[in-house]
Amino acid sequence: MTTTDKVSPTAAGSGASATETFRANQQHGAPEGVSPERVGTVVRAVLDSVHEAIRAHRVTYPEFQAAKKWLIEVGEGGEWPLFLDVFVEHVVEQVAAETQQGSKGSILGPYYLPGQQRLPSVAALPARPDEKGAPLVFAGQVRDIDGRPIAGAELDIWHADAQGYYSGFAPGIPEGNLRGVVVADDQGRFEISTVQPAPYQIPTDGPTGRLIETAGWRPWRPAHLHLIVRAPGYRPVTTQLYFEGGEWLDSDVANATKPELVLSPKAQPDGRLRSEYDFVLDRT
Ligand code: MBD
Ligand code: FE
């Protein structure tokens, strides 16, 4: 936490934490998997499209210098993970999905933290005693492509709280809050109790937020649960689940929604919302 100890997460705070987390967590996007030939080919193509945009839009010197200043600020604010995951990752995910059969995936985003508490197949995510938000039960089964249950599959789940803030990135939230690794039973089944998250707003006080505001875009993602579902011998699925009727579902700034990823929770007799969702994993 910074010396100012603000209660709402500042762009600088959450951005810097996301950059530290990414560095500490190099298995997601390890540079070992990148060949020099690919660097030449892809960077050439990216530069070509930048040059084309400059020509097409008659970009001026003041505009070029403003862009340079903004790029420097994105780095200084630690917002590269935020910016790239919001504006670029969805296309990388779409390309990866072309070779995948199982459940639909979505982007990882900047707020995953590995090594969370392992929980039994029927479990409540760690939450504050006065955790706000509508109680939600999320249950289902993990199966293989042939419909066989995958015993002991892991559901690594994390989501924002009822204010749209993530533990580990916003100040004042206990470590590990609304995060956990739920281990499915011998039938691949799980039942997770948590609270409904709120939509996520990109911090408005950083360079990414200022860009969005200047361009007249909206800085919002619909409310979502993040999951990585994994089991030995299977290709992990990184995904997100959204809520039917939720705000920003049709205008996600990160373009990471898919129709297959929308839950329709129903109120149970006990008043809690309940939603069922099954996952299918490809063999490796
Ligand atoms: C998020 O919560 C998120 O999931 C993504 C992809 C980007 C920014 C914030
Ligand atoms: Fe998120």
Side-chain angles (χ1 to χ4, degrees), residues 108-111 158-160 166 200 221 224 226 240:
L108 178 71
Y111 300 139
W158 70 104
H159 65 84
Y166 285 89
Y200 173 86
R221 299 212 59 222
H224 54 279
H226 288 270
Q240 298 187 31

Side-chain angles (χ1 to χ4, degrees), residues 106-275:
S106 185
I107 64 180
L108 178 71
Y111 300 139
Y112 174 61
L113 292 172
Q116 299 302 311
Q117 196 181 325
R118 289 175 73 82
L119 300 165
S121 63
V122 178
L125 294 187
R128 291 161 284 191
D130 59 344
E131 193 69 48
K132 305 287 187 291
L136 170 72
V137 180
F138 173 63
Q141 188 184 33
V142 185
R143 296 187 295 264
D144 68 14
I145 294 281
D146 305 312
R148 283 186 289 257
I150 305 178
E154 291 180 7
L155 297 108
D156 199 337
I157 180 168
W158 70 104
H159 65 84
D161 68 9
Q163 290 198 90
Y165 298 145
Y166 285 89
S167 64
F169 298 92
I173 305 177
E175 205 180 309
N177 204 63
L178 303 179
R179 296 174 182 271
V181 181
V182 174
V183 181
D185 69 12
D186 57 7
Q187 284 302 305
R189 294 194 179 279
F190 60 89
E191 186 179 289
I192 303 166
S193 300
T194 186
V195 296
Q196 170 125 22
Y200 173 86
Q201 183 180 23
I202 303 216
T204 50
D205 58 334
T208 305
R210 280 189 281 110
L211 167 73
I212 290 168
E213 161 145 52
T214 305
W217 307 333
R218 307 306 303 272
W220 291 93
R221 299 212 59 222
H224 54 279
L225 306 175
H226 288 270
L227 289 121
I228 302 173
V229 184
R230 61 171 87 84
Y234 295 89
R235 184 164 156 178
V237 170
T238 298
T239 195
Q240 298 187 31
L241 296 169
Y242 304 90
F243 299 92
E244 188 176 61
E247 220 182 344
W248 313 110
L249 201 49
D250 299 317
S251 54
D252 179 7
V253 68
N255 265 284
T257 66
K258 297 181 186 181
E260 299 86 349
L261 300 179
V262 180
L263 302 173
S264 310
K266 301 282 182 292
Q268 301 183 119
D270 68 4
R272 296 191 298 173
L273 294 166
R274 182 182 171 96
S275 205

Side-chain angles (χ1 to χ4, degrees), residues 90-105 235 258 282:
H90 71 281
V91 187
V92 181
E93 194 283 325
Q94 279 163 19
V95 170
E98 289 170 8
T99 62
Q100 182 233 332
Q101 309 261 304
S103 293
K104 292 286 178 197
R235 184 164 156 178
K258 297 181 186 181
D282 292 340

Side-chain angles (χ1 to χ4, degrees), residues 57-75:
H57 298 280
R58 321 304 310 159
V59 171
T60 65
Y61 260 102
E63 289 167 345
F64 173 57
Q65 302 299 12
K68 213 186 282 180
K69 178 169 178 281
W70 179 83
L71 288 162
I72 291 166
E73 288 165 6
V74 174

